[in-house]
Amino acid sequence: MKVLLNERQLQQGVDRLAAEISAAWGPRPMTMIGVLNGCIVFIADLIRRLKMPVRIELIQASSYRGQTTRGPLRLAADRQLEIRGRHVLLVDDILDTGHTLAALQNRLREAGAASVRTAVLLRKAGCQEVEIHADFVGFELPDQFVVGYGLDYRDQLRNLPYLAAMEPDDFPPAGQQNTFSGG
Ligand code: 5GP
Ligand code: MG
C-alpha cells in the first residue's frame, strides 16, 4: 500500500473544510447526515470543529463492488429522517461515480429538507458519471482504490489512521474475492 495522506495532512484537510463550511453556513443550525460506514472517522473529526448547533443522523448506503467496480446501490430500508424544513449537510467519505450522493440528495429533498448541501473528504477526479456538485471537498485524488481513515477494503482497514492507495499486490488472487463492501 502507498500512503497518500498522512495523519497530519488529513487533520489539516479537515481543518480547512471545517473553516469553509463554517464560513458558508454561519450560525444557523445544521442537520448533518453521515453516510455509513465510511463517514465515521471523517465526521467524528469534522463535527468537533464546527461551532453552529449540529444534529447528527446516520444513514446506511452500500454497494457491491469487486476491487474497484460498483454494483447496485442499496439504501437501508426507509427510516423516517426528521429533516422537514431543516438545512442539511450530507457527508460522505468519497465521491466516485456520484450515484450514491445523487440518490441520497434526491431522497432528502423528497423528505422535505429546506436545503441540501454535500461535503466529501475525497473526490476522485474525472470519475463522476452523474451530474453532481459537491459543495465542500477535502482532497482531489486520481482514480485509484483507497483505504483507511474510515474507508474499507472488504470491511477491513477502516481503522488505519492514514489514507492509502491499494497496490496490485495488496489484492488477493482472482477467484478468492468476496466482493461485498459495506459502504
Ligand atoms: P459512488 O456512488 O460515488 O460511486 O461511490 C461512493 C461510495 O463508494 C463511497 O461512499 C464509498 O463507500 C465507495 N467508494 C468509492 N471509491 C472508493 C475507494 O476508493 N475506496 C473505498 N474504500 N470505497 C470507495
Ligand atoms: Mg460510502
Side-chain angles (χ1 to χ4, degrees), residues 19 21 23 35 40 65 79 81 83 107 122 140 158 168:
I21 293 168
V35 183
I40 55 171
R65 44 175 82 232
R79 282 188 37 221
L81 289 170
I83 57 169
R107 176 162 307 195
L122 308 164
E140 289 274 354
R158 293 191 198 277

Side-chain angles (χ1 to χ4, degrees), residues 35-39 59-63 65 73 91-94 100 104 150-152 158 181-183:
V35 183
L36 292 172
N37 295 336
C39 75
I59 46 177
Q60 183 85 53
S62 59
S63 47
R65 44 175 82 232
L73 175 72
V91 181
D92 203 357
D93 49 3
I94 186 165
T100 305
L104 291 175
L151 291 99
D152 72 307
R158 293 191 198 277
S181 160

Side-chain angles (χ1 to χ4, degrees), residues 5 23 31 43 46 66 107 117 138 142 146 159 179:
L5 297 167
T31 294
I43 71 167
L46 181 62
R107 176 162 307 195
R117 287 195 261 184
V146 294
N159 52 319
T179 56

Side-chain angles (χ1 to χ4, degrees), residues 6-183:
N6 64 30
E7 290 185 65
R8 192 178 50 83
Q9 291 168 314
L10 285 165
Q11 294 307 312
Q12 286 172 347
V14 181
D15 281 344
R16 204 166 55 229
L17 263 180
E20 256 181 60
I21 293 168
S22 299
W25 205 278
R28 68 194 164 135
M30 171 188 290
T31 294
M32 179 184 288
I33 303 203
V35 183
L36 292 172
N37 295 336
C39 75
I40 55 171
V41 181
F42 176 39
I43 71 167
D45 280 344
L46 181 62
I47 58 176
R48 286 178 286 176
R49 290 166 166 83
L50 298 175
K51 300 285 193 293
M52 76 289 278
V54 181
R55 293 170 67 238
I56 299 164
E57 301 227 28
L58 299 167
I59 46 177
Q60 183 85 53
S62 59
S63 47
Y64 284 87
R65 44 175 82 232
Q67 291 174 3
T68 58
T69 53
R70 61 175 288 281
L73 175 72
R74 303 181 314 159
L75 298 179
D78 266 287
R79 282 188 37 221
Q80 220 40 56
L81 289 170
E82 291 187 21
I83 57 169
R84 185 159 299 281
R86 296 185 192 270
H87 295 282
V88 170
L89 183 66
L90 179 62
V91 181
D92 203 357
D93 49 3
I94 186 165
L95 177 58
D96 183 7
T97 64
H99 289 284
T100 305
L101 283 185
L104 291 175
Q105 274 185 349
N106 288 340
R107 176 162 307 195
L108 297 175
R109 294 204 171 101
E110 281 163 21
S115 66
V116 181
R117 287 195 261 184
T118 54
V120 291
L121 178 69
L122 308 164
R123 178 169 60 196
K124 287 192 192 176
C127 292
Q128 283 78 64
E129 294 173 2
V130 290
E131 196 63 46
I132 176 140
H133 169 74
D135 298 280
F136 308 100
V137 177
F139 300 93
E140 289 274 354
L141 297 177
D143 184 12
Q144 53 195 334
F145 192 77
V146 294
V147 294
Y149 197 73
L151 291 99
D152 72 307
Y153 174 60
R154 297 162 67 191
D155 267 331
Q156 299 289 317
L157 305 176
R158 293 191 198 277
N159 52 319
L160 295 177
Y162 49 83
L163 188 86
M166 299 275 284
E167 295 177 293
D169 285 353
D170 298 323
F171 294 102
Q176 295 178 26
Q177 287 162 8
N178 157 4
T179 56
F180 181 71
S181 160

